[in-house]
Amino acid sequence: MSSQYLYAPGLKELALGLEESPVIYSGVLPMAKMAMGDWAKFLIFPSMLSAELAERDDSLRVKCIFVIPDWMTDEYELTEANAFNIKLEGRTYNNQPDPEACHNNRVEHWIEIFKEDLDNLLDGANPFDIELLSSAALIKENSQFKSFIRFALKNPDELIELARTIFHEQEILADPVGFVGVSCRQCFKLDGISTYIDEWDRVQFECASCGHKQEADIIEQSYWIHEYLCEAAVICASEPTIKIIRAGENEKKYEYMDKISNLVISGYSREISTLIIPNIDSERGGYRLNELIDLAKDWEKPEAEIA
């Protein structure tokens, strides 16, 4: 079982055991303004780990993996009280308009704001390397990521049954259920029928909104992908050594993601250390990075405040 490290004291313990440059899986970037809790996960604790390593061995360099949710969406209806019975009603984030009409789509808008805010907080510092990973790029560049898309298209029933064994207190119906589906090239809507053709590794799609039909190689289609499936696929593709999660975050989600990986990649096994960070009760801004790090050094419990 992978090791868990708790809050600021756990970070110090984790740093002492690292002998190679760590790769941190930070998670999915929100399509909204970052709160202080987001910055704790995406900036403060990675910067603290970088500082701890630099004191011991300045050749060690932290890299953080951020997931761009280009093929995720918030335009859906949950037909049951779970994360799986999803009725898709709209478009993926990369096909939703920029709310301020200054970029091509909603993804580009919020990624640009993330970069600007990150630069402002860093104020010239360069504590770690950053890699932004998108589904549209990974399906063409990474065979493991493609395997997750293929598996979900071919074997949705296996993913449903796996979900039932883990989230057993929730009623998960066979229909509607969603893990991955094609995005229409005409109207960009997601509701429709996606059919995988095993012999040719191609995918057919018939749009329920506009009636358009399309067929292409698996890597030439654009998709919607369930967040849990996407995160599991990105972790396999990027091979991190550490993941950062918030205290109280859905543990069953990560159990499900690990077991998806075992289904998709035969013999998959990877030890990833987990750094658990506090939930931060603050929306206040105006801090410099070194000030936030000084505050975070005292965060030793599941909840923390910034006055």
Side-chain angles (χ1 to χ4, degrees), residues 78-95:
L78 290 177
T79 60
E80 296 292 330
N82 64 68
F84 303 98
N85 290 132
I86 294 173
K87 181 181 178 183
L88 296 168
E89 297 180 331
R91 296 160 290 179
T92 50
Y93 286 126
N94 66 325
N95 286 319

Side-chain angles (χ1 to χ4, degrees), residues 146-166:
K146 181 172 66 175
S147 294
F148 279 78
I149 299 292
R150 183 186 294 113
F151 186 93
L153 288 165
K154 291 175 62 176
N155 306 290
D157 289 346
E158 290 191 45
L159 296 176
I160 295 171
E161 288 307 311
L162 177 60
R164 286 176 177 152
T165 64
I166 295 173

